[in-house]
Amino acid sequence: MKKEQIILGVDPGTTIMGFGILKVSGTKLEVLELNTVMLHKLNNHYLKLQKIFERSLQIIDEYNPDHLAIEAPFFGKNVQSMLKLGRAQGVVMSAALYRDIPITEYAPKKIKQSITGKGTASKEQVSFMLQQMLNLKTVPKDFDATDGLAAAVCHHLQSKNPLQQGKSYSSWDAFLKANPERKK
């Protein structure tokens, strides 16, 4: 493993996309950026997806992350919401794959468990624990940003214990090989 690593963590969304950039130097963790991409002013779903792709590429080109850790969509009751969320996630993943960045997906419960020790923790609890772990003076009021950072921290913690890791893909071919039903 490299001595220094940059992890981009993303909480995908079509209204707000949260992200955090985590720099790992040995045992030291440093937050390089903790922010959101606001999409609520765009009323066309496809324009939102375009903005997500463009902003994801900008973030990747600015920070040159070694890895993308992304929250996997969870199964809710609203199928349309899940479809939109899955598209947003796919667009972020496409941007990472376009720049040859490996991807790992983590279930929301896995991320919460890694940060707080409890898979059912609230967004407030996750934010509070990140603030304590990383000595952050302040955190954004939008929990989407801290959720994105939580994915990055989760990936760092899980990479220390590979048996606990989520699903990883090093390329588009690797993704298709692991998900043959997606070829159609």
Side-chain angles (χ1 to χ4, degrees):
M1 187 196 281
K2 290 170 46 176
K3 282 193 178 251
E4 187 173 286
Q5 184 178 34
I6 295 177
I7 304 166
L8 166 60
V10 174
D11 177 23
T14 56
T15 303
I16 302 174
M17 179 183 95
F19 69 95
I21 308 288
L22 183 70
K23 180 179 177 183
V24 181
S25 302
T27 59
K28 184 180 176 221
L29 302 179
E30 178 186 356
V31 178
L32 300 180
E33 187 171 354
L34 178 59
N35 213 334
T36 56
V37 177
M38 303 304 278
L39 302 157
H40 61 276
K41 290 185 179 176
L42 298 171
N43 59 4
N44 180 309
H45 182 66
Y46 301 107
L47 290 177
K48 289 180 180 192
L49 295 176
Q50 179 183 12
K51 176 76 169 179
I52 292 167
F53 184 79
E54 289 170 351
R55 188 65 180 108
S56 296
L57 280 179
Q58 288 173 344
I59 294 164
I60 289 167
D61 290 345
E62 181 177 349
Y63 289 100
N64 195 24
D66 298 292
H67 209 93
L68 166 67
I70 191 164
E71 187 173 303
F74 58 92
F75 298 99
K77 294 181 182 183
N78 187 330
V79 175
Q80 284 301 317
S81 293
M82 178 139 167
L83 178 62
K84 288 178 181 178
L85 184 61
R87 288 176 176 167
Q89 183 200 34
V91 168
V92 175
M93 293 169 77
S94 295
L97 291 169
Y98 188 69
R99 294 290 193 246
D100 295 319
I101 312 261
I103 301 165
T104 305
E105 283 183 279
Y106 292 98
K109 282 188 174 191
K110 178 59 140 183
I111 294 171
K112 291 175 182 180
Q113 172 97 34
S114 293
I115 305 303
T116 68
K118 187 175 177 187
T120 58
S122 69
K123 290 178 176 285
E124 292 88 349
Q125 290 170 315
V126 170
S127 180
F128 176 79
M129 286 302 295
L130 287 172
Q131 197 169 5
Q132 301 305 305
M133 288 169 92
L134 302 169
N135 296 317
L136 299 173
K137 303 269 185 265
T138 60
V139 290
K141 63 180 177 180
D142 285 315
F143 292 120
D144 301 274
T146 50
D147 285 353
L149 179 61
V153 173
C154 173
H155 180 73
H156 165 67
L157 295 171
Q158 298 306 308
S159 64
K160 294 163 86 175
N161 184 0
L163 295 176
Q164 297 292 317
Q165 243 185 22
K167 297 178 186 173
S168 292
Y169 309 107
S170 58
S171 68
W172 185 248
D173 287 336
F175 175 81
L176 289 175
K177 194 176 280 185
N179 298 281
E181 72 281 2
R182 302 271 183 114
K183 289 182 183 180
K184 296 177 183 174

